[in-house]
Amino acid sequence: MNTKKILVVEDERLIAEDIKRTLQFLGYEVPAIIVTGLQAIEETKIHEPDLILMDIMLEGDLDGIEAAKIIHQDQDIPIIFLTAFSNKNTLEAATGAEPYGYILKPFGEKELQVTIKMALYKHGLQKILKENEKKYRAIFENANEAICIIQENKFRFMNPQTIEFLGFDKENIIDKIFLDFVYKNDKQRVEKLFNDVLNGKNPGNQQTFRMLDKDKNILWIKANTVLIDWEGKPSVLNFLSNVTQQILVEEEIRKLKVIADNANYGITISDINGEIQYINKYYSKIHGYEPESIIGKNSSIFHNQEQLTHIAAINKELFDNGSFNAVELWHTHKDGTVFPMLMNSVLIHDTEGSQKFIAASAIDVTDRKKSEKIQKELLQELEDVNSELQNFAYVVSHDLKAPLRAISALANWISTDYEDVFNQEGKEQLRLLINRVKRMHDLIDGILEYSRVGRIKEEKIEIDLNSLLNEVIDAIAPPANIKITIKNKLPLVIFERNRITQVFQNLLSNAIKFMDKPRGEISVSCEGEKNFWKFSIIDNGPGIDEKHFLKIFKIFQTLHPRDEFESTGIGLTLIKKIINMYGGQIWLESTLGKGTSFYFTLPKT
């Protein structure tokens, strides 16, 4: 056992020596006797005593109280004051130096021994407490989770992790109300939690609630709450974990599970051996099972032996490539009936890259297979009908045109050979006959041309509409009193040459045919829009009543008697079909007596 060293600070030599002898008799070592306060400060640093007996009234500039205060600030050494004075002022001044004892002179050996033992014992306990406090403070400050102590609803202690995840400086949060940092909807619940802990109803509890950081971001916090005594007062010790990411992930998982459970296609997850871990309603019901009855079963229950042989080959692709997509597999219902499903599957790996699960999605394609069969049959029928229609069109063309050509030739011969025989009325009747034959011929050609649109396609080529329109105008050969103007440069388009020629030829021919002004004006222009070219053909002719806007695009419909204007009623119908077929539109604006504007669009690509 180490002998304790006690430094004696006493300016009365006889008393000092007597104290020294007493201490040595009690088993203590006395390294020196000091007579002044300044000397006591220096000798304490040299001898590092375990305790100091300090007289209050000393020689020199520093009394014992002042010297004790300096020693107490610099070194952790217990001090016992010795004094012959017991007045109130002296005691109060001595208390400021935080002594471990106070002995009035004269004193006995027993009193001295007891006071010294108590001071050393008390100092030893305080030293242990300080070491423990230092150790636990180090644990708290270096813990991975945030730790804080709430006393009287305020922050009294917090470790760096608390400061870090809340984002505040310590001086901005210490002694602040804890509930001020709790999300408004959770304040009442957290307040009840603390009150229950403080009142002993729930000495330890775990809760999850929301707090706000410095930037007002919502943080999800899991708190373990414990009742402790802190500096003599009941307090709440909180171990706080930021579980925001975990909560958000769990919320996403819940959402995804709701979506998966109610999806209108099948979803299943199994381990790599095929044992089902998850299955949604669609997938289980389509096979005749309840979802709960399938968990833990092997996915082979959805297939017969023949199907499993095929699936083994598909699974090889899955394990080799990590997935397969849009594979049609036959499945077996609980009642034994078989049906096709279109499936996708993917391997799920863990963080180390090992194959862990198989996720699959599938949809019953029984109705689609039936539809495909019906569609195939209908397409075949349509092809047969189109083939028959094409043959019919050529037959009709040949068989109808042959007698028309004969009638036309015969009428022309009669007109030539018997010109002198016919009177004026007879000649007019013969002219009408020839015109009717020509109209019938043109009508047959128009019907054939209309039937070919969309059925017989030419190669699409790049066409310079400026050159093409000049060719169309030359072919139409407008009369001298009608002027056709191209108002701006027309674009290059990718189109069937004959079709786009038909569009411009018909629209310009109609404008010329029905012109009723002495000086006719027709303009052609084009504007570029986002995805379309917008063309316009505008004339100053008679105009069209709005009630006829839709009628003129219907087949065989004309606005004038055919004896006044020769027309088959197919031209505008043909144009509309061509333009619509290529994704464009055609319409018109017109005012009676002032002219008509035809507009149509064609896609740029």
Side-chain angles (χ1 to χ4, degrees):
M1 183 176 179
N2 294 329
T3 302
K4 301 293 184 181
K5 291 189 292 184
I6 299 178
L7 196 66
V8 177
V9 184
E10 172 63 64
D11 57 358
E12 292 186 22
R13 195 63 167 167
L14 291 176
I15 295 175
E17 289 293 338
D18 184 52
I19 293 172
K20 179 179 178 181
R21 285 194 299 271
T22 302
L23 291 174
Q24 288 173 336
F25 175 77
L26 294 173
Y28 298 108
E29 178 185 348
V30 181
I33 293 175
I34 311 300
V35 296
T36 69
L38 287 174
Q39 186 183 6
I41 294 169
E42 296 301 321
E43 292 293 329
T44 298
K45 296 176 183 177
I46 296 170
H47 296 291
E48 296 182 351
D50 297 297
L51 185 139
I52 299 174
L53 292 176
M54 176 80 75
D55 188 13
I56 289 179
M57 306 301 294
L58 295 174
E59 298 177 0
D61 296 331
L62 287 179
D63 61 15
I65 294 174
E66 294 301 321
K69 288 180 179 179
I70 294 172
I71 292 170
H72 182 72
Q73 288 174 359
D74 295 339
Q75 301 178 67
D76 183 22
I77 299 174
I79 296 174
I80 296 174
F81 282 130
L82 306 175
T83 184
F85 302 95
S86 60
N87 61 73
K88 182 178 179 182
N89 292 336
T90 301
L91 290 175
E92 286 181 355
T95 302
E98 299 184 28
Y100 278 70
Y102 193 96
I103 302 176
L104 289 173
K105 299 176 184 177
F107 50 82
E109 175 186 318
K110 194 69 175 175
E111 183 181 357
L112 180 63
Q113 183 181 21
V114 170
T115 304
I116 290 173
K117 282 188 175 182
M118 290 299 295
L120 291 173
Y121 178 74
K122 181 180 177 182
H123 180 257
L125 287 178
Q126 288 187 348
K127 190 173 182 180
I128 292 171
L129 287 173
K130 287 179 180 179
E131 289 175 353
N132 285 338
E133 180 184 353
K134 184 178 179 181
K135 178 173 65 177
Y136 290 122
R137 185 177 291 273
I139 292 172
F140 281 5
E141 291 184 351
N142 293 285
N144 290 326
E145 60 185 337
I147 300 172
C148 64
I149 294 173
I150 309 303
Q151 186 182 86
E152 297 175 346
N153 295 321
K154 296 179 179 179
F155 282 103
R156 295 303 189 198
F157 169 84
M158 67 196 66
N159 67 345
Q161 284 72 19
T162 308
I163 298 168
E164 182 180 346
F165 82 70
L166 288 178
F168 292 90
D169 295 330
K170 186 174 182 178
E171 55 269 22
N172 293 330
I173 193 172
I174 199 72
D175 292 332
K176 297 294 190 301
I177 303 293
F178 180 84
L179 289 176
D180 288 347
F181 300 87
V182 176
Y183 185 63
K184 59 183 180 181
N185 293 351
D186 295 343
K187 286 181 186 290
Q188 188 174 356
R189 183 160 54 85
V190 174
E191 185 176 20
K192 183 179 184 305
L193 165 67
F194 285 1
N195 288 336
D196 286 349
V197 171
L198 290 169
N199 294 329
K201 294 180 181 179
N202 198 344
N205 199 355
Q206 185 179 91
Q207 288 265 6
T208 300
F209 52 87
R210 289 163 290 183
M211 295 184 72
L212 299 174
D213 68 8
K214 185 179 180 180
D215 298 322
K216 303 299 181 184
N217 296 315
I218 295 176
L219 306 177
W220 282 94
I221 304 300
K222 181 180 283 186
N224 287 309
T225 305
V226 181
L227 176 64
I228 63 165
D229 183 276
W230 179 262
E231 297 178 347
K233 293 182 180 180
S235 306
V236 178
L237 173 64
N238 294 285
F239 297 87
L240 308 177
S241 299
N242 186 349
V243 293
T244 305
Q245 194 61 37
Q246 177 185 337
I247 294 290
L248 293 177
V249 169
E250 289 174 355
E251 182 63 26
E252 286 300 310
I253 291 173
R254 279 193 292 271
K255 291 178 183 176
L256 291 174
K257 188 175 185 303
V258 171
I259 293 170
D261 285 345
N262 297 282
N264 59 353
Y265 55 89
I267 301 173
T268 180
I269 298 175
S270 59
D271 63 21
I272 56 174
N273 297 314
E275 185 177 302
I276 297 170
Q277 310 295 313
Y278 168 81
I279 189 166
N280 74 343
K281 297 174 185 175
Y282 180 100
Y283 203 102
S284 55
K285 292 295 178 81
I286 205 71
H287 290 88
Y289 299 93
E290 291 297 326
E292 299 79 12
S293 66
I294 297 297
I295 301 300
K297 301 287 181 63
N298 196 281
S299 57
S300 60
I301 66 170
F302 301 137
H303 306 281
N304 60 30
Q305 195 59 45
E306 181 183 350
Q307 294 163 0
L308 287 173
T309 303
H310 183 212
I311 287 169
I314 298 298
N315 280 341
K316 184 178 185 306
E317 178 186 345
L318 171 64
F319 287 107
D320 288 346
N321 303 325
S323 66
F324 64 76
N325 297 308
V327 174
E328 190 176 291
L329 296 174
W330 285 87
H331 287 236
T332 300
H333 192 274
K334 185 179 180 181
D335 63 10
T337 56
V338 297
F339 59 96
M341 294 194 83
L342 194 67
M343 295 194 67
N344 298 324
S345 191
V346 64
L347 278 176
I348 301 174
H349 297 79
D350 61 17
T351 54
E352 297 177 354
S354 300
Q355 297 172 346
K356 297 295 289 183
F357 299 101
I358 302 169
S361 62
I363 188 165
D364 181 6
V365 290
T366 303
D367 291 339
R368 195 186 77 177
K369 295 284 285 185
K370 291 178 181 177
S371 297
E372 286 176 354
K373 183 180 178 182
I374 294 170
Q375 185 181 27
K376 187 176 180 181
E377 292 172 352
L378 289 174
L379 285 173
Q380 186 58 52
E381 290 179 12
L382 185 59
E383 287 180 10
D384 294 342
V385 169
N386 280 337
S387 178
E388 291 176 5
L389 181 61
Q390 186 175 355
N391 293 333
F392 175 76
Y394 284 115
V395 169
V396 168
S397 173
H398 180 270
D399 290 352
L400 287 180
K401 282 184 175 181
L404 287 176
R405 282 193 293 270
I407 294 169
S408 179
L410 196 60
N412 281 312
W413 294 341
I414 294 171
S415 176
T416 302
D417 294 344
Y418 297 97
E419 182 178 4
D420 297 335
V421 176
F422 286 107
N423 59 19
Q424 194 60 38
E425 184 179 352
K427 291 178 180 179
E428 178 62 21
Q429 295 297 327
L430 196 59
R431 186 188 65 77
L432 289 175
L433 174 62
I434 293 171
N435 285 344
R436 297 291 194 279
V437 171
K438 184 179 182 303
R439 185 189 302 165
M440 188 66 179
H441 187 278
D442 292 343
L443 189 60
I444 293 170
D445 282 344
I447 293 171
L448 284 173
E449 193 59 46
Y450 184 81
S451 70
R452 286 175 180 171
V453 175
R455 183 168 53 85
I456 298 175
K457 294 186 179 179
E458 303 173 17
E459 180 185 0
K460 290 182 182 179
I461 60 173
E462 186 177 72
I463 301 169
D464 183 350
L465 291 181
N466 300 284
S467 299
L468 182 135
L469 206 59
N470 286 325
E471 293 174 13
V472 170
I473 293 170
D474 287 344
I476 293 173
N481 69 316
I482 295 179
K483 181 181 179 183
I484 299 178
T485 305
I486 301 174
K487 302 197 83 171
N488 58 356
K489 186 176 180 180
L490 302 179
L492 297 174
V493 296
I494 306 296
F495 219 84
E496 296 179 57
R497 185 177 181 85
N498 284 338
R499 297 299 179 210
I500 196 66
T501 299
Q502 285 176 306
V503 171
F504 283 106
Q505 194 172 47
N506 273 282
L507 289 172
L508 291 173
S509 295
N510 281 352
I512 293 169
K513 182 191 299 184
F514 297 106
M515 180 59 66
D516 63 344
K517 303 295 190 301
R519 296 194 58 80
E521 295 181 0
I522 303 170
S523 65
V524 181
S525 63
C526 178
E527 297 176 7
E529 298 188 351
K530 184 176 181 181
N531 298 315
F532 293 87
W533 297 112
K534 179 183 175 184
F535 297 91
S536 61
I537 297 179
I538 302 172
D539 65 60
N540 65 335
I544 300 172
D545 195 326
E546 187 176 355
K547 66 182 180 180
H548 299 308
F549 282 6
L550 295 178
K551 177 182 178 182
I552 62 173
F553 290 111
K554 293 181 179 180
I555 196 165
F556 303 136
Q557 298 293 318
T558 61
L559 301 183
H560 302 278
R562 285 184 170 87
D563 290 337
E564 293 180 18
F565 291 96
E566 280 295 332
S567 175
T568 61
I570 294 177
L572 287 176
T573 309
L574 179 66
I575 292 171
K576 187 175 189 303
K577 186 175 182 182
I578 293 171
I579 291 172
N580 290 165
M581 184 176 68
Y582 286 99
Q585 293 182 321
I586 184 169
W587 69 98
L588 72 149
E589 296 174 0
S590 183
T591 304
L592 284 173
K594 293 185 179 181
T596 301
S597 301
F598 276 92
Y599 300 96
F600 66 92
T601 59
L602 292 176
K604 288 185 176 181
T605 56

